[in-house]
Amino acid sequence: MISLFLIVGVYAVFYVLWVYIILPTFLSPLSKIPNAHFTSSFNPFWILWKRYREQENTTIHAAHEKYGKIVRLGPNEVSVASVDDGIRTVYGGGFDKWPWYPNQFDNYGLLPLVDSLSKKREVVDVLELNFSSTMDFVNAFIFGLGNGSNFLQDAQTRRHWLRAYWSRRPFRFWDGELPLAKTISKRLGFPVVPSRVGDATSVIQDWTLERCKVATNWTQTITQGSTGEARTPAIVFDQLTAAVKTTTADDPSLGPPELQVASELLDHLAAGHETSGITLTYLFWELSRNPSLQASLYDELRTLIPCIGFPPQASNSGLPPSRAIDNLPLLHAVLMETLRIHAVIPGPQPRMTPFPPVSVAGSPPLDPGVRVSAQAYSLHRNADIFPDPEVWNPARWLDPSDEKKAEMGRWFWAFGSGGRKCIGSNLAMQEVEMKLITAAIFSNFTTHIVDDRGIEQVDAYTAGPKNHRLMLRFERKTT
């Protein structure tokens, strides 16, 4: 007589084979999509390992070059590298964000400083300098001028904050991809994420709460009419606070309003300073490698009225209109090309297929809940759109035909697209931050490389220099 245990065992084996191998490999709609790896149809560990090792972007790009505009990365995950039937469908079609996102996001003196460093002929880590500038910019925008950070001048606070922020980086993988494994390992007493990461997060959260308290007190001071300080209203902070209080009044289960506001703003502070700081660092590096282009940019910047000179002249005070800075063609081309080849967020932006089933990039209709993504790394390296894609060439953005300009714009994806694209793109690029900082520096200084070892970008979601630094020397313009 056949043993009951044998029957159960055979059934269990058949069930596992059917659900985890046969069904996804041969019968799933995804089975018609080329596999990036021979295990992709039934096993997610290959792509998880690539993400953990920070090899994801180049690996996915190689798969697209080999198999085409859509590839299967895992049993329930695909990547697309096309516009009309790819990113427009996924990012403009109401696909929800993959749960990865909430797991990842829980939580005034630039020219004088550079002038002082240039006079001393000191070597400068411009990555740290740019993080400082962009953090101060974003803080001033959110909390009002005078209420935010002063990283440019307060080196102790700056380094303490940045050290805490970057100490968490090696462990982002667990929150984003395997949060359950993180929780289980902690309960078993062998945490994959050490306690010091939590301590670092507390430092950042406490600092953000303090900025919120300063802004709250300043708003109350303005309301009471007892100002007298050179500060501006905390408009973004005040509007967000008012909106959160209204929402919390309707649903008290959301928690204390001040913590909701601080959590939201911490996301903006973290993303805003890091992405712009890294972009500026690669822009400075590329210009330092191209002295003739740096000189041409200086000539263009001198056409601004008034010029961004330092020290400012009494007859030439203030800044030129932001529109005038934004309309400088070479400055725009330099920034666009840096964002193209050195995209700070070059990797996949995961979304989740909705109901009813939908096709992407020529695939069969995909069931709801499939993880689908595109990545700027591949879109920006389409040689049909960007000839010699591995070459930093700002000239490609200067005076292209209307047709060529439109096509490059369709494939340019440094800020994403659709309803959930980067909300800070205008602040970062068109209005003030990156173009103004670049214009201010290169109107007054030339830059020279001292040490660029490890300047290659890490192959990760946020792609800064591998050595986490770039050492330059600033030289004061004499004309």
Side-chain angles (χ1 to χ4, degrees):
M1 183 175 181
I2 300 176
S3 166
L4 177 61
F5 290 107
L6 178 60
I7 295 174
V8 172
V10 170
Y11 177 81
V13 170
F14 177 77
Y15 177 83
V16 169
L17 289 174
W18 175 261
V19 172
Y20 294 104
I21 297 180
I22 297 174
L23 191 61
T25 302
F26 301 106
L27 302 179
S28 165
L30 276 68
S31 64
K32 307 295 192 299
I33 300 171
N35 292 320
H37 187 261
F38 74 92
T39 64
S40 294
S41 63
F42 60 87
N43 192 330
F45 295 138
W46 169 77
I47 191 60
L48 288 173
W49 179 247
K50 293 296 183 182
R51 288 180 182 132
Y52 179 74
R53 294 291 303 275
E54 295 191 337
Q55 299 171 345
E56 179 181 26
N57 306 332
T58 52
T59 298
I60 294 175
H61 181 60
H64 278 299
E65 288 193 318
K66 184 176 182 179
Y67 296 112
K69 62 184 180 180
I70 183 168
V71 293
R72 188 178 189 180
L73 303 179
N76 200 43
E77 180 177 0
V78 299
S79 173
V80 297
S82 61
V83 174
D84 290 329
D85 56 354
I87 60 175
R88 284 192 173 181
T89 300
V90 176
Y91 300 92
F95 285 37
D96 285 336
K97 282 192 171 182
W98 189 258
W100 176 90
Y101 284 96
N103 290 334
Q104 284 284 359
F105 294 102
D106 269 336
N107 3 317
Y108 327 109
L110 174 62
L111 289 180
L113 174 61
V114 175
D115 188 53
S116 173
L117 294 170
S118 69
K119 289 176 179 177
K120 298 175 183 177
R121 299 185 65 82
E122 289 189 17
V123 177
V124 182
D125 179 0
V126 295
L127 182 63
E128 183 177 329
L129 177 73
N130 288 327
F131 281 156
S132 303
S133 300
T134 54
M135 178 60 89
D136 290 349
F137 257 103
V138 176
N139 263 270
F141 178 73
I142 291 174
F143 297 114
L145 189 64
N147 300 319
S149 61
N150 188 13
F151 278 15
L152 278 170
Q153 297 177 336
D154 188 351
Q156 182 177 356
T157 300
R158 172 182 77 231
R159 287 168 182 160
H160 180 61
W161 195 96
L162 290 174
R163 188 161 46 245
Y165 182 81
W166 283 97
S167 69
R168 308 183 308 163
R169 179 190 171 87
F171 306 98
R172 290 178 180 176
F173 168 83
W174 298 102
D175 283 324
E177 299 295 340
L178 296 173
L180 182 60
K182 172 188 170 182
T183 301
I184 293 174
S185 70
K186 184 176 181 179
R187 290 180 178 176
L188 292 176
F190 302 99
V192 294
V193 179
S195 60
R196 68 176 184 274
V197 175
D199 296 338
T201 299
S202 296
V203 168
I204 296 169
Q205 291 174 336
D206 292 345
W207 181 87
T208 306
L209 278 171
E210 181 60 29
R211 303 272 62 74
C212 292
K213 291 177 182 177
V214 170
T216 298
N217 293 336
W218 175 242
T219 297
Q220 293 171 351
T221 301
I222 293 176
T223 303
Q224 296 165 4
S226 56
T227 59
E229 295 187 51
R231 300 187 189 181
T232 58
I235 296 174
V236 175
F237 172 79
D238 291 344
Q239 290 183 344
L240 178 61
T241 299
V244 168
K245 285 182 177 179
T246 300
T247 304
T248 305
D250 296 334
D251 186 3
S253 66
L254 293 173
E258 61 272 16
L259 294 185
Q260 294 181 55
V261 171
S263 178
E264 177 70 19
L265 293 180
L266 178 53
D267 291 346
H268 294 290
L269 292 171
H273 94 276
E274 186 177 5
T275 53
S276 295
I278 292 173
T279 299
L280 285 169
T281 297
Y282 280 105
L283 187 152
F284 285 16
W285 178 64
E286 292 287 7
L287 285 175
S288 299
R289 296 203 302 163
N290 293 270
S292 61
L293 188 59
Q294 193 173 154
S296 297
L297 179 61
Y298 173 75
D299 291 339
E300 180 180 81
L301 294 171
R302 296 300 292 177
T303 66
L304 290 170
I305 302 176
C307 291
I308 309 177
F310 183 82
Q313 303 297 317
S315 60
N316 212 23
S317 59
L319 293 172
S322 60
R323 183 181 296 274
I325 298 175
D326 189 37
N327 287 338
L328 293 175
L330 183 55
L331 176 61
H332 182 74
V334 164
L335 183 53
M336 288 291 286
E337 184 66 354
T338 301
L339 287 165
R340 183 194 69 81
I341 197 170
H342 298 298
V344 181
I345 309 294
Q349 306 290 313
R351 297 290 187 269
M352 187 165 55
T353 53
F355 180 84
V358 62
S359 298
V360 295
S363 74
L366 302 180
D367 293 332
V370 174
R371 175 169 168 165
V372 56
S373 60
Q375 61 172 21
Y377 190 93
S378 294
L379 295 170
H380 290 178
R381 284 164 172 77
N382 184 336
D384 293 332
I385 309 300
F386 305 104
D388 296 322
E390 296 295 342
V391 176
W392 185 79
N393 178 22
R396 73 173 83 243
W397 300 95
L398 295 172
D399 300 320
S401 66
D402 290 343
E403 180 181 358
K404 182 64 175 177
K405 182 179 179 180
E407 193 65 5
M408 289 195 299
R410 278 164 25 91
W411 285 80
F412 181 79
W413 214 54
F415 300 107
S417 60
R420 294 182 175 88
K421 70 174 292 185
C422 174
I423 64 172
S425 60
N426 288 331
L427 173 70
M429 184 172 172
Q430 279 83 8
E431 293 184 2
V432 290
E433 193 177 21
M434 290 193 287
K435 285 188 176 180
L436 178 55
I437 290 174
T438 302
I441 291 293
F442 290 97
S443 289
N444 296 279
F445 306 94
T446 56
T447 57
H448 308 272
I449 295 173
V450 176
D451 186 355
D452 63 353
R453 288 174 295 178
I455 191 63
E456 302 83 10
Q457 288 181 274
V458 296
D459 190 352
Y461 180 75
T462 305
K466 288 183 177 179
N467 265 6
H468 200 62
R469 66 172 194 164
L470 171 62
M471 310 306 292
L472 299 183
R473 178 174 55 83
F474 290 84
E475 183 177 333
R476 191 78 163 83
K477 281 283 189 182
T478 57
T479 57

